[in-house]
Amino acid sequence: KTKGKDDIITLPDTSVVFVEYNEPLSPLLRSIYTVLDRSPPQLLREIIIVDDGSDAEAPWLAPGGEFEKHIEMLPKVKLCRLKGRNGLMRARNVGIALATAETVTVLDSHIEVNVGWLEPLMGRIAEGRAEGIHRVVVPAIDSVDADNFDYTAGGIDILGHSWTLGQVGVYRPKSVVSADPVPSPIMAGGLLSLERQW
């Protein structure tokens, strides 16, 4: 995006952090591969997978197991194993501490990113930097069926609270194009990007 004739905003790179615990192999690999395949190489510094104490119920995740052998062949993928269960937030913080890129992008370990997923997130962070603002940005989240992996556009978007403090979708005005950024009172906690130092 160009701000002025000679003032171009450059996009920061990111470290993607996945936390998994006894995650089935196929969705975990699908998550990693879509990030590798659908991210501009110059924007993706690394993928950090934090294993939050997976146990004997997931032998494919054991040290030296099928998953570890597979990711050893992949570029930019690092694995960190935690001893015992630490919980999602603590495990994410470990992944964030290991990150080396300008930004960190946290994703659930059973997702699929789409083509062009990363550029808008990094663009909003870069715009915020230019304005002196730190932004936490969240993508629109489409749905992938757990049984047959069918893709459905339009899942979680703008969120707010119900009267009982539950999470509910907020109406997106028709005047706002679906790709346009909009403020959201709350966010889905599984997918977000922010500046690493912040």
Side-chain angles (χ1 to χ4, degrees):
K1 178 179 177 182
T2 303
K3 285 187 71 180
K5 184 177 177 190
D6 298 317
D7 189 13
I8 297 174
I9 296 176
T10 57
L11 299 181
D13 65 352
T14 198
S15 296
V16 172
V17 175
F18 289 109
V19 173
E20 62 82 16
Y21 167 74
N22 285 359
E23 187 73 39
L25 185 59
S26 177
L28 181 56
L29 289 175
R30 186 173 177 152
S31 302
I32 295 164
Y33 270 101
T34 61
V35 169
L36 285 171
D37 292 342
R38 297 176 179 170
S39 303
Q42 70 276 15
L43 296 184
L44 179 65
R45 169 90 50 100
E46 63 200 346
I47 297 174
I48 300 168
I49 301 149
V50 181
D51 183 295
D52 189 22
S54 292
D55 56 31
E57 291 183 26
W60 54 90
L61 296 173
E66 186 178 356
F67 176 66
E68 193 171 289
K69 288 177 183 173
H70 191 90
I71 64 168
E72 285 174 355
M73 298 182 290
L74 297 176
K76 300 185 179 185
V77 179
K78 302 173 183 177
L79 175 62
C80 170
R81 293 185 181 280
L82 302 181
K83 291 185 166 95
R85 290 297 306 276
N86 286 261
L88 181 59
M89 294 301 111
R90 189 170 288 157
R92 278 187 183 164
N93 283 330
V94 168
I96 290 168
L98 294 172
T100 61
E102 295 177 71
T103 71
V104 177
T105 300
V106 176
L107 300 174
D108 285 337
S109 57
H110 39 266
I111 56 94
E112 177 177 339
V113 299
N114 213 332
V115 175
W117 76 279
L118 186 55
E119 297 92 322
L121 298 174
M122 296 302 103
R124 290 295 288 160
I125 290 174
E127 289 170 359
R129 281 181 176 176
E131 298 167 10
I133 299 169
H134 295 290
R135 288 190 171 138
V136 176
V137 295
V138 181
I141 304 167
D142 297 332
S143 299
V144 177
D145 188 277
D147 295 321
N148 59 23
F149 290 117
D150 283 345
Y151 175 84
T152 306
I156 301 172
D157 192 6
I158 307 169
L159 295 174
H161 284 121
S162 67
W163 285 105
T164 59
L165 295 182
Q167 175 180 294
V168 295
V170 174
Y171 172 74
R172 179 186 278 267
K174 291 188 190 249
S175 61
V176 177
V177 178
S178 64
D180 287 347
V182 292
S184 184
I186 63 171
M187 57 187 253
L191 302 105
L192 60 104
S193 294
L194 71 159
E195 293 186 66
R196 180 173 54 90
Q197 293 297 337
W198 189 55

